[in-house]
Amino acid sequence: MTRFFDRVIRRFRPSKPSAAPILDKAVENEKARVVFCAFGKRSFSGAGKVTPKRFFPVFCSTLNATGFSTFFVSTPRELAAVAREDSCLVHIYNEEIVENAKIFRHAVQEAMGAMHRGVVFNDIALGNLISRKDLTNIHLAQAGIAVPRQLQSADEAARVFSNAVSSSGAVVSEEFEPSRYNTEFIDTRVAYKGREYFTTVRLLCVGGTLLHCNIGARRATESPAVHGADIPLDPDLVEYLYGHLVERRLEALIDLAARLGRALGPGFFAHDLVICSKTGVPYVCEVGVKFHAKAYETRLLPIADRLPCQRRIFDGTYELESAQAFLKEYARQAEALRA
């Protein structure tokens, strides 16, 4: 059966591409083994989920220095060669590949020879959940986390925000469309130097640990859909918005990240928030698997030296702190499995 799933997976992506992040590293006196699994056609980048050759060298060297071996696999055969039943598996995928979930599960089960009993980050069930904004909204609301109110008709709200159910970066509208993800519009406008901007805050987390906050902004004369690549290259604006949206409520955002971690389980996350300009309440509007935000970093790179609030994503601190947060989250999850 392992050979069968090897062949199936090759339809989506060839085995062990030349762009593999780094060489595998088996350490002496190994405490634990971490296996990064990229079984989908998006390979180790996960279609923008991580830049392997940038993120993993610092991340993995930090793990290696603490006694964790690290391996990268892309087929069941490769997984079977390096993994143990208690290995920590870290899946790399794009949430839109829900149809591959069965392949992911069988790849693990067949390669390990039994049900895997170790810690899993970015579990496939998690990917199935967060691939749909409507299901994520319901799940988080049940966990007591503030989310935009879903609408069943246009009459339920004065203003509608309509988005695709499963796509990231899709075209949005203010027209209610039954087949789409329709929520009550949250006004996020912030005024700066006589102009108004629609805004967002992205929480980059490992498990429930908040690592960094990205700022999104777009002129209010444009679409209210704000993406990382939209932010104006104005360092004073970015610094102002960081102070206004993040610093003044940092403790609340740290607490929110912890509650999101408990609701979703272990993973590498980007939680997109809209913060109401009238009430100051942050609403979680979307969740994604994300190791770091490449598009955002690329956008701000020309002004990086004038952004103290974003320093850690450019100087290597972020990758180091990601590894440290991973180790803490792994320890918590491993202890829970042993209990």
Side-chain angles (χ1 to χ4, degrees), residues 38-245:
F39 293 130
K41 63 182 178 180
R42 306 291 186 163
S43 186
F44 289 107
S45 72
K49 300 302 181 179
V50 63
T51 306
K53 291 185 177 180
R54 173 179 173 178
F55 182 84
F56 286 118
V58 172
F59 185 92
C60 290
S61 65
T62 304
L63 267 58
N64 299 154
T66 59
F68 282 64
S69 296
T70 51
F71 298 90
F72 293 81
V73 303
S74 54
T75 70
R77 188 175 300 280
E78 293 171 355
L79 178 60
V82 300
R84 301 168 180 167
E85 291 183 4
D86 61 348
S87 294
C88 176
L89 304 186
V90 181
H91 288 296
I92 301 173
Y93 57 80
N94 186 286
E95 298 92 338
E96 295 176 34
I97 60 167
V98 177
E99 68 275 12
N100 287 353
K102 185 178 293 186
I103 294 175
F104 277 69
R105 284 196 299 271
H106 281 295
V108 173
Q109 292 173 19
E110 289 292 326
M112 303 299 285
M115 288 293 291
H116 176 251
R117 291 191 286 272
V119 178
V120 179
F121 280 69
N122 304 341
D123 186 80
I124 307 308
L126 169 68
N128 285 332
L129 171 67
I130 64 177
S131 69
R132 292 184 58 98
K133 300 181 184 71
D134 53 351
L135 298 182
T136 306
N137 181 294
I138 294 169
H139 179 79
L140 295 182
Q142 291 174 342
I145 293 169
V147 292
R149 181 167 62 97
Q150 287 200 67
L151 306 177
Q152 302 305 313
S153 73
D155 297 332
E156 294 183 57
R159 194 171 178 184
V160 175
F161 188 83
S162 182
N163 202 345
V165 172
S166 297
S167 179
S168 177
V171 175
V172 304
S173 74
E174 295 185 37
E175 298 293 329
F176 181 89
E177 299 180 47
S179 63
R180 286 162 62 87
Y181 174 60
N182 302 286
T183 64
E184 185 174 18
F185 180 84
I186 307 295
D187 189 353
T188 66
R189 286 175 296 174
V190 174
Y192 177 74
K193 291 186 176 180
R195 293 179 175 175
E196 288 190 325
Y197 296 86
F198 288 121
T199 60
T200 61
V201 173
R202 168 169 282 185
L203 308 183
L204 292 171
C205 305
V206 175
T209 300
L210 175 60
L211 297 176
H212 187 67
C213 295
N214 291 353
I215 299 299
R218 192 174 193 176
R219 290 283 296 275
T221 53
E222 302 175 12
S223 167
V226 182
H227 305 109
D230 295 329
I231 191 165
L233 294 181
D234 180 344
D236 292 335
L237 171 64
V238 178
E239 288 289 318
Y240 174 79
L241 292 177
Y242 187 86
H244 181 77
L245 296 171

Side-chain angles (χ1 to χ4, degrees), residues 1 10 14 26 76-77 130 172 207 220 224 267 281 305 326 331-332 337:
M1 288 296 290
R10 286 195 190 99
R77 188 175 300 280
I130 64 177
V172 304
V281 174
D305 60 341
F326 170 84
R332 284 195 293 269
L337 285 178

